[in-house]
Amino acid sequence: MPAVHHKLLLEDALQDSPQTRSLLSVFEEDAGTLTDYTNQLLQSMQRVFGAQSEMGLATQQLSQQLLDYEKKNFAMGKGDEEVITTLQKFARTVEELNALHTDLANQMADSMVFPLIQFREKDLTEISTLREIFGIATDEHEASMVKYSRLPKKKENEKVKVDLVKEVAYTRRKQHQASMQYYCALNALQYRKRVAMLEPMLGYTQAQVKFYKKGMELVTKKMDTFLSSVSNMTHNIQAQLDSEAEAMRMSQRELLSVEDTVYMPDKDDDPVSRSLIQKSGYLNIRNKTGLVTTAWDRLYFFTQGGNLMCQPRGAVAGGMVLDLDNSSVMAVECEDRRYCFQITSPTGKTSMILQAESKKEYEEWICTVNNISRQIYLTENPEAVAIRLNQTALQAVTPITSFEKRQEGSPNPDRAKPGGVHCSAGDAPGPGASLEPEDLIAPGTPIQFDIVLPASEFQDQNRTGGRRTNPFGETDDDSSSESDDSLLQQVFAVRFLGSMAVRCGDNQEVIYEVMRQVLAARAIHNIFRTTESHLMVTSSCLKLIDPQTQVTRIHFQLGEVLQFAAHQENGRLMGLVVEDPDWSQGDQEGAPPSYSAFVFESNTEGEKICFTINLAKEIVEAKKDPEALAELMKSMPLTNDGKFLLLEAETGDPTNGEGQEDLESEA
């Protein structure tokens, strides 16, 4: 008889994944079906045993009745001696049959009914009891994890934290022990049910054979071989059960001999793996339960290809939650919880906040999502590519792919329409096409991740009697004439990602290379937090304004902007290259100019920003010819007072929409 192929692995008891729970539900369903069938089978066997017992009582009564015939004083009983003798022989025969029926009933009780009752009361009841214990242990563990997950990050009480960690370890160990006992019982049940089904029928058949053995010699010889084979089969199954039970006991002792740190959360001593392209485990997800209320649910998440999947407990398979291709991930502060991070879709319309159990899990999830967002899993050897990318990002000096391949997939630099890459007038991208990466950016060039405003400049902008610059075009009184001359003002909500000094100012590929190095450095060093600013584009300059203090953090004249482009795949990224006369050696004749590249992430498409900058440059060129300026103004809608151009409002960002209304009111 074949051995049992499917069993619950004790090694999976601690992780308690949905796959294990799904397999456990199959075993539980099988145990429930077996219980129902055992009850029905026991009723049938008890009916047979009752009939056989009744047969013994009936034959005993019949024998007694035959013997009582002699004791009856029939008035006409003379001459019945022969009948009485015959009836006495019949009585002895029936008495012998009664003994056989009684022996058969006893054998049925011992070998057919009792083993099945013992199987039901011992094994099936044990399964039911262990299931309740396992459920209670699971509920206690979930309750302790909920309390641990609510442990605050700031102002935490060390004693409370230690108590909660011990409570989680205790409940997790208790659940581990209960689950292993439950798994062992379910695995053993697959063997015991076979014995329980075969052993009663074996006893019943053997009892019947013994009952009819005198008249069934030939049949008995045929049955002996079969019964012998069935008996050997039960012995073999019992031997397999004993061997498997011993192996499970050894495995259970080995698994329970680990240190207590295995059960404690946030006790990972292994280093963080930053080259993962697959990840799975339990995470807390924040769900909205009302207008201002939220709830956290602990679910099992895993990655499959470029998708983030979620599988609730009890579900047969997982469902897709979010497409991770070209998505963004960043660490966030959320409701005073630790290890929280946010995943946002490329369009920015879908985002989700998750919480990891430990710092190691938190960092690995962020790195994994970042690796998948770059579609590394589509390569032939994704693990090697991920390792190489992380090593390259740490160095931040060489590109991922060759420059020739990137140029083949780059858009036409000459197009000047929304959605394309825009260059300033007179720039020729041809000479820069043959440049190597080292010619664009010097190896080891530092990356600036924030714009720090000097204290003196901040004081100058906020000095008494002056008015701070706001994102709606309001400036000091001295600069009112400059504001009146501006024909275009548009504000975009952006986040500054980083800037680098570059060697080339006339090649758009330098923007893509700076984007790659900035994003790679942020991912490797876990720099995901950014500050939102307002980028104001006018017909004369570009300003980056702090929305809280209304202080201009950085200012570029439009003529200093040499190149500007949106990312080829992630439309929310855009960059620009400027020539800074203060940083260059412009005072010396023949000295080379100095260039810097800036990378921003916008709430809308970066192509809109590029379109607006390109429009501003067209206005500057048109100012040189009054007729051309008049034609350009006729083709562009203006505000009611005829001062500023009306551009399409940013969609999907209510904050920016409000800013546009303020812009028109200030004008």
Side-chain angles (χ1 to χ4, degrees), residues 593-607:
S594 175
Y595 305 103
S596 298
F598 296 80
V599 180
F600 301 93
E601 180 185 22
S602 64
N603 291 348
T604 59
E605 295 294 333
E607 296 172 349

Side-chain angles (χ1 to χ4, degrees), residues 177-457:
Q177 294 175 347
S179 60
M180 286 195 294
Q181 293 178 0
Y182 189 29
Y183 290 1
C184 291
L186 288 175
N187 290 336
L189 184 63
Q190 301 305 309
Y191 297 95
R192 292 192 178 111
K193 75 175 182 180
R194 299 186 178 188
V195 177
M197 296 298 106
L198 297 176
E199 187 177 6
M201 294 310 302
L202 176 63
Y204 171 78
T205 308
Q206 288 177 340
Q208 292 288 354
V209 168
K210 290 181 180 179
F211 181 75
Y212 297 106
K213 194 169 184 179
K214 289 185 179 181
M216 301 176 61
E217 292 293 338
L218 296 177
V219 178
T220 304
K221 291 180 180 179
K222 296 179 181 180
M223 293 294 292
D224 283 343
T225 304
F226 171 74
L227 296 177
S228 177
S229 63
V230 173
S231 179
N232 293 334
M233 185 187 306
T234 57
H235 288 312
N236 292 336
I237 295 177
Q238 187 64 38
Q240 292 179 9
L241 171 59
D242 296 339
S243 176
E244 183 68 20
E246 182 62 26
M248 288 189 293
R249 283 193 293 269
M250 294 293 294
S251 179
Q252 185 175 359
R253 285 195 295 267
E254 182 179 354
L255 292 174
L256 290 176
S257 62
V258 297
E259 298 180 358
D260 292 338
T261 55
V262 176
Y263 303 96
M264 296 181 180
D266 205 9
K267 291 293 183 180
D268 299 318
D269 297 330
D270 298 332
V272 177
S273 178
R274 304 183 183 277
S275 59
L276 296 176
I277 57 173
Q278 289 183 343
K279 183 69 177 174
S280 62
Y282 280 99
L283 295 173
N284 291 333
I285 180 173
R286 190 181 71 169
N287 296 319
K288 291 190 66 176
T289 58
L291 294 177
V292 295
T293 58
T294 59
W296 292 83
D297 297 325
R298 189 168 181 259
L299 300 175
Y300 188 83
F301 289 85
F302 62 96
T303 60
Q304 187 175 26
N307 300 324
L308 179 64
M309 313 290 288
C310 176
Q311 184 175 1
R313 288 187 178 180
V316 178
M320 190 182 79
V321 178
L322 189 65
D323 185 1
L324 298 179
D325 288 344
N326 297 322
S327 63
S328 61
V329 58
M330 60 185 298
V332 294
E333 296 288 342
C334 189
E335 298 181 5
D336 199 22
R337 286 187 174 230
R338 305 178 302 168
Y339 311 138
C340 292
F341 59 95
Q342 176 176 319
I343 304 176
T344 307
S345 63
T347 61
K349 296 181 179 179
T350 304
S351 64
M352 58 192 311
I353 296 179
L354 303 170
Q355 180 189 20
E357 181 177 315
S358 63
K359 184 177 181 181
K360 177 177 178 291
E361 290 289 311
Y362 157 80
E363 295 183 1
E364 287 187 350
W365 270 107
I366 291 179
C367 294
T368 303
V369 173
N370 185 63
N371 291 336
I372 295 177
S373 67
R374 290 185 278 181
Q375 300 181 350
I376 298 176
Y377 64 93
L378 297 178
T379 59
E380 295 182 358
N381 192 353
E383 296 182 357
V385 174
I387 295 175
R388 186 171 66 254
L389 286 180
N390 281 276
Q391 293 176 349
T392 305
L394 283 173
Q395 299 172 357
V397 293
T398 57
I400 299 174
T401 57
S402 65
F403 235 61
E404 291 75 16
K405 292 184 179 180
R406 179 178 295 177
Q407 290 175 353
E408 293 175 2
S410 62
N412 186 359
D414 296 331
R415 59 183 179 178
K417 59 181 182 179
V421 180
H422 308 279
C423 303
S424 61
D427 287 336
S434 60
L435 295 178
E436 296 295 330
E438 292 78 5
D439 297 329
L440 299 176
I441 303 175
T445 300
I447 301 176
Q448 182 176 351
F449 294 110
D450 198 2
I451 299 176
V452 181
L453 189 66
S456 59
E457 184 176 348

Side-chain angles (χ1 to χ4, degrees), residues 68-115:
D68 289 344
Y69 185 82
E70 182 183 8
K71 298 178 181 179
K72 300 298 180 181
N73 295 322
F74 292 100
M76 302 299 294
K78 292 182 180 179
D80 291 342
E81 294 79 12
E82 205 171 321
V83 173
I84 293 172
T85 303
T86 304
L87 290 176
Q88 289 177 351
K89 292 181 179 179
F90 274 117
R92 287 193 295 270
T93 303
V94 172
E95 187 69 22
E96 293 175 357
L97 291 174
N98 176 51
L100 293 176
H101 283 293
T102 303
D103 185 58
L104 177 59
N106 293 333
Q107 290 185 20
M108 286 184 179
D110 295 337
S111 60
M112 182 179 69
V113 179
F114 178 73

